[in-house]
Amino acid sequence: MILLWGVPEDRPIRRVCEALQANGHDFALVDQHKSNVIGLEIRTGERITGTLTLNSRAIQLSEVAAIYARPYDWQQVCQAHGIMPISEEWRHAMVLDAALHAWWATTPGLTVNPIQSMGPNSSKPYQLEAIRAAGFQVPATLVTTDAADVENFWAEHPSIIYKSVSSVRSHVAQMKPIDRQRLKSVEWCPTQFQQYIPGKDVRVHVVVDELFATEVDSDAVDYRYADRENVAEPTLRAVGLPDEVANRCVTIARDMDLPFAGVDLRVTPAGEWFCFEVNPSPGFSYYESATGQPIAAAVARLLAGASRPTLEPNRTAAGSSSLGHPFVRADQRPSVGPLPTCTS
Amino acid sequence: MVGGADLAGPGWRLAPGNSAHARGTAGGNEFEGGDVTGAVTMLPAFTPVDVPHVAIEERAFVAAEITAFVLAWLSQLSCRVLNRPTPGCLSGPAWPPEQWVLVAAQLRVPAWPLHRSARLNDAKPDLKIHSGRPMSVTVVGDRCTGFDDGVLRSHARALAEAVGIEFLTAEFAPRHGESVLMNVRPAVNLADPESMNAIADYFDASVDVR
């Protein structure tokens, strides 16, 4: 039994559902819209046991071999359904979410991804150290609440960008001279500044040792928000990766205990590879739609056990020669409202 | 003492990969990261109430940002940090109670079985726990304070060692004639003079080693 946890309109969830269905795998969706008809009992002693109830279907937790988790903020889902904070439905959604998170943290089954492995992505400078330790080049970085520090950093690096420190409002923007007028506002909140790295973005989806690399051609500083920057939509194409880069992607995902990861790279005109971030819950459907890379099928195989992670040392990137990116980040989630009232 | 008012204010700096450039402020006094000889974290994360001087519509965002910043800032310190932060909790592991019970079982530490129930219109509380006064043991490094029982102190120390942290409070309660683990928190009671002395001794020892 495979469980998926999230909302059905989330495209990655939908695609993995479709891939599992196409191969006849037994799976169920823990649909956050239907929390009213979901129940969970967990008993913990020497081991964890219990029952998950979806409508009238009862699933023993011991039967669940794998979980693909992309849960939304339960409060956001409740608000979309018009559920009031003082209601029993609200309390139930809160208790259910906590119970599912507890199970996510403790289940002996495969979790894509382990909840403990999702956290580093919530702090960019924290994760950057892990990326550096994995052998990737990273941009020169400064996090500060001091305008003078920013000026000094800007003097060292003629072109710099800024972004949030956490995963909230994670939109990259380039510093322009006019931004000096509001530079003092960094005093109110630590802000991350980085050396701008010219080149092409490459998102590499790693599914254990299968790689799917997508080159992104865009004039935008942050291609995810090309429309806000008034530049043309990005052009995406599947590409191969140099073996060394491919191996490093597999290694970093393994070291971060992420069976499925989205590695954000940029290759400079001189051929240098930089890594910006490793996404533990990649919204892969955008890349899959544009390139036809069978990413959902690879995730489905992983969940179904056909490609179980062994996490052995010295693994090579077997997929790199073929073709070659709590909780889903808020800025990568589709809108969940308004939604129909949950009646079932 | 560093709080939200300090962190959402001027004077903080972190240059990943260059710990010598770290800087902070406390009560308006700046200090270099290299001058810090020890840190104790008493908050799991910052929340909007920790930054009341920030515009109300920005408080949640600023709280998330300083939490992410402090995680990275504390992680680059080479001195003793009680506890080393983790991405889910600035003061140690962000574990649900079930995870502590499973670790206790592996260590043969008797623990109160947990029953968590999430059902609509279920009047029962989601976590069924003992409501009596617990026997509380605090571990600070290799020292224990609190309830003076050799077995319980040994259990608490075993939990800290198994998880690789130096700072926790374990609470025990009587069940079927034995004392069983009820709860674990990666924190101590700052109002307890014995625990505060243990923390002071822990940092004094690190200075002696240097």
Side-chain angles (χ1 to χ4, degrees):
Chain A
M1 160 63 76
I2 297 163
L3 276 186
L4 294 85
W5 177 23
V7 295
E9 65 267 36
D10 179 48
R11 286 179 184 155
I13 285 277
R14 193 165 66 212
R15 292 207 174 217
V16 172
C17 279
E18 289 165 357
L20 290 167
Q21 205 157 24
N23 289 286
H25 294 301
D26 183 21
F27 73 96
L29 173 64
V30 181
D31 182 351
Q32 290 179 286
H33 293 314
K34 298 181 178 175
S35 61
N36 284 1
V37 293
I38 300 172
L40 181 57
E41 296 271 343
I42 302 177
R43 293 178 186 277
T44 313
E46 290 189 2
R47 60 196 181 91
I48 194 158
T49 59
T51 308
L52 174 68
T53 310
L54 305 175
N55 274 314
S56 57
R57 183 180 184 185
I59 300 166
Q60 296 303 308
L61 299 187
S62 58
E63 296 171 20
V64 178
I67 304 171
Y68 179 48
R70 282 179 59 87
Y72 280 58
D73 179 343
W74 66 270
Q75 295 180 75
Q76 191 187 358
V77 177
C78 281
Q79 284 162 359
H81 285 283
I83 295 172
M84 302 298 290
I86 54 171
S87 67
E88 178 61 22
E89 288 86 353
W90 179 277
R91 191 199 73 86
H92 171 65
M94 175 180 68
V95 171
L96 178 65
D97 186 80
L100 284 164
H101 275 89
W103 181 44
W104 187 5
T106 51
T107 176
L110 170 70
T111 50
V112 178
N113 281 311
I115 190 170
Q116 296 87 345
S117 308
M118 311 284 281
N121 190 244
S122 66
S123 170
K124 294 187 180 80
Y126 178 84
Q127 194 193 51
L128 206 61
E129 285 302 283
I131 293 170
R132 187 199 315 276
F136 271 113
Q137 284 197 82
V138 297
T141 301
L142 170 74
V143 189
T144 187
T145 59
D146 195 320
D149 287 342
V150 182
E151 290 286 8
N152 291 336
F153 187 72
W154 205 350
E156 282 178 44
H157 306 282
S159 183
I160 62 174
I161 57 94
Y162 62 95
K163 56 173 92 165
S164 63
V165 182
S166 72
S167 54
V168 183
R169 296 189 201 167
S170 185
H171 178 206
V172 183
Q174 194 153 18
M175 285 288 286
K176 300 184 179 103
I178 196 171
D179 291 324
R180 282 201 165 88
Q181 294 173 12
R182 58 192 187 103
L183 207 47
K184 198 167 167 52
S185 63
V186 299
E187 290 185 359
W188 295 101
C189 187
T191 306
Q192 178 160 314
F193 297 85
Q194 282 187 317
Q195 161 195 24
Y196 174 72
I197 305 294
K200 283 195 173 169
D201 287 298
V202 178
R203 162 61 77 94
V204 183
H205 289 100
V206 182
V207 187
V208 187
D209 54 9
E210 278 190 84
L211 298 186
F212 304 92
T214 306
E215 185 183 84
V216 182
D217 195 0
S218 174
D219 291 329
V221 174
D222 187 338
Y223 68 83
R224 299 170 303 168
Y225 302 100
D227 53 340
R228 291 190 203 171
E229 296 183 33
N230 292 319
V231 299
E233 280 296 305
T235 305
L236 280 62
R237 69 183 183 99
V239 294
L241 289 174
D243 283 350
E244 186 186 346
V245 176
N247 280 325
R248 213 170 280 158
C249 288
V250 172
T251 301
I252 198 170
R254 184 194 65 208
D255 290 352
M256 292 183 171
D257 194 21
L258 295 170
F260 180 35
V263 184
D264 285 328
L265 305 177
R266 187 169 289 168
V267 56
T268 69
E272 287 182 296
W273 289 81
F274 283 79
C275 181
F276 297 135
E277 192 177 338
V278 179
N279 190 317
S281 186
F284 67 87
S285 50
Y286 170 69
Y287 306 87
E288 186 174 71
S289 294
T291 63
Q293 294 167 315
I295 304 169
V299 175
R301 274 198 305 279
L302 168 66
L303 293 166
S307 177
R308 286 283 183 138
T310 54
L311 301 181
E312 296 154 347
N314 304 319
R315 185 203 314 280
T316 56
S320 62
S321 58
S322 51
L323 261 189
H325 215 344
F327 327 116
V328 182
R329 245 169 52 175
D331 62 326
Q332 294 179 340
R333 294 171 177 154
S335 167
V336 294
L339 294 164
T341 304
C342 181
T343 53
S344 55
Chain B
M1 180 70 83
V2 174
D6 298 294
L7 284 150
W12 287 88
R13 182 172 66 197
L14 173 68
N18 189 352
S19 57
H21 276 209
R23 192 183 62 212
T25 75
N29 299 312
E30 284 199 357
F31 55 86
E32 300 297 320
D35 292 337
V36 178
T37 56
V40 184
T41 310
M42 298 306 301
L43 284 176
F46 288 91
T47 65
V49 298
D50 296 312
V51 287
H53 60 301
V54 173
I56 192 164
E57 65 275 16
E58 295 293 338
R59 285 179 196 166
F61 173 71
V62 171
E65 290 293 283
I66 62 176
T67 298
F69 175 73
V70 170
L71 168 64
W73 203 97
L74 288 173
S75 296
Q76 53 84 44
L77 289 177
S78 57
C79 61
R80 287 185 166 184
V81 180
L82 288 178
N83 284 308
R84 285 269 158 199
T86 67
C89 175
L90 293 176
S91 57
W95 284 10
E98 285 83 354
Q99 208 160 349
W100 288 108
V101 170
L102 291 171
V103 168
Q106 288 173 3
L107 297 171
R108 305 280 179 221
V109 171
W112 193 285
L114 286 176
H115 175 205
R116 195 190 282 258
S117 174
R119 290 183 186 284
L120 187 61
N121 299 318
D122 187 349
K124 294 175 288 186
D126 61 317
L127 277 173
K128 293 178 174 41
I129 55 173
H130 174 79
S131 57
R133 184 184 172 86
M135 295 169 277
S136 184
V137 176
T138 292
V139 178
V140 180
D142 56 6
R143 187 165 156 190
C144 284
T145 64
F147 195 75
D148 192 7
D149 179 285
V151 173
L152 299 191
R153 289 187 170 199
S154 167
H155 288 339
R157 199 175 284 119
L159 286 164
E161 284 174 7
V163 181
I165 61 176
E166 306 219 44
F167 185 50
L168 65 73
T169 296
E171 293 170 343
F172 299 86
R175 182 175 189 261
H176 301 329
E178 65 176 347
S179 297
V180 299
L181 181 70
M182 291 293 306
N183 188 32
V184 183
R185 293 177 287 117
V188 299
N189 179 4
L190 285 180
D192 173 30
E194 198 186 0
S195 295
M196 295 305 291
N197 285 338
I199 290 171
D201 290 346
Y202 176 82
F203 288 117
D204 284 346
S206 73
V207 172
D208 291 344
V209 168
R210 288 183 175 193

